[in-house]
Amino acid sequence: MNNFIEIEDISEHNNKEKHLIFGYTPMCGTCKISERMLDIANEILQLPIKKIDLNYHPDFSEKNKIMSVPVLIVMNKDQETDRIYAFQSVPYLLENLK
C-alpha cells in the first residue's frame, strides 16, 4: 500500500496568457464560499484555473508570501499580475478578473 499523495503541478497553465491559482485549505469555511463564487464567475470568464490545497504546498506558500486563505493569484504566463484575498462577491470577481 502506497501512502504517497500526488502533488499537482501548479505551473500547469504557465503557458497561458491569463490563468488563476486558487489557494485554499479544506477546513476553511470562507474558502468554500469563495470557491463557489469563483466557480460562478469563471463559468462566465472561462479562465484556466488551478486549485491547490496549500497544506500540501508549503514551499509555494512561502515563496509567494501567502498571508491567508483563500487566495486567488492572477497570472500572466508565469508572472503574478494580481492577488485577491477578499472575494466579496461574484460581480467583484468578474470586475477584477476581466
Side-chain angles (χ1 to χ4, degrees), residues 17-20 72-84 96-97:
E17 205 57 37
K18 186 174 198 176
H19 62 101
L20 309 172
L72 184 65
I73 302 174
V74 182
M75 303 288 291
N76 182 330
K77 299 200 184 296
D78 64 349
Q79 298 297 310
E80 178 178 336
T81 59
D82 197 13
R83 184 179 293 208
I84 300 171
N96 284 278
L97 296 175

Side-chain angles (χ1 to χ4, degrees), residues 55-76:
N55 289 325
Y56 295 107
H57 297 280
D59 296 345
F60 177 83
S61 296
E62 194 172 314
K63 184 179 134 232
N64 291 284
K65 297 179 174 48
I66 293 176
M67 301 299 167
S68 64
V69 290
V71 60
L72 184 65
I73 302 174
V74 182
M75 303 288 291
N76 182 330

Side-chain angles (χ1 to χ4, degrees), residues 41 89-96:
S89 66
V90 172
Y92 175 84
L93 286 175
L94 287 169
E95 187 60 36
N96 284 278

Side-chain angles (χ1 to χ4, degrees), residues 8 10 19-25 28 30-36 38-39 48-54 60 66 69-74 84-85 87:
E8 65 268 51
I10 297 171
H19 62 101
L20 309 172
I21 299 173
F22 175 71
Y24 68 94
T25 57
C28 161
T30 307
C31 294
K32 288 177 179 45
I33 295 165
S34 298
E35 181 178 18
R36 185 71 192 118
L38 178 60
D39 288 346
I49 187 166
K50 187 68 180 172
K51 297 180 180 181
I52 57 170
D53 179 346
L54 292 174
F60 177 83
I66 293 176
V69 290
V71 60
L72 184 65
I73 302 174
V74 182
I84 300 171
Y85 285 109
F87 287 45

